[in-house]
């Protein structure tokens, strides 16, 4: 065996070694890019914004209905 000095240590080295072996489907990075996480956060914020806007519209409708009800009583 050896001391292991030629063994790939970084994700790039492991990917290159997998490509040299012809094993392209077996490589998976332990720490993938966080692009998906940012996308999920943005989607969650968009959903929250939509829910807040719907709630504001419903509140405005309720207040308008209450004001109309008071106006009809007088």
């Amino acid at each position: 065996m050896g001391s292991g000095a030629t063994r790939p240590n970084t994700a790039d080295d492991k990917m290159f070694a997998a490509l040299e072996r012809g094993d392209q489907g077996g490589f998976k990075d332990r720490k993938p890019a966080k692009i998906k996480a940012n996308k999920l956060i943005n989607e969650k914020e968009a959903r929250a914004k939509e829910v807040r806007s719907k709630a504001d519209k419903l509140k405005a409708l309720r207040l308008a209905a209450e004001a109309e009800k008071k106006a009809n009583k007088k």
Side-chain angles (χ1 to χ4, degrees), residues 1-69:
M1 297 272 167
S3 65
T6 59
R7 186 173 182 183
N9 291 336
T10 64
D12 292 336
D13 293 337
K14 290 178 184 179
M15 181 181 64
F16 293 137
L19 290 173
E20 289 173 1
R21 287 192 310 265
D23 184 23
Q24 296 178 3
F27 176 77
K28 291 185 180 177
D29 194 358
R30 287 185 186 173
K31 295 181 181 179
K34 295 184 179 181
I35 295 171
K36 290 182 181 178
N38 289 338
K39 182 179 178 184
L40 292 175
I41 289 171
N42 291 338
E43 289 175 357
K44 185 176 179 182
E45 288 176 358
R47 283 193 303 264
K49 185 177 179 182
E50 185 178 343
V51 167
R52 282 193 298 271
S53 68
K54 285 182 181 180
D56 291 341
K57 290 176 184 177
L58 289 173
K59 183 177 180 182
L61 283 173
R62 182 179 51 83
L63 292 174
E66 288 177 359
E68 185 178 337
K69 184 177 178 182

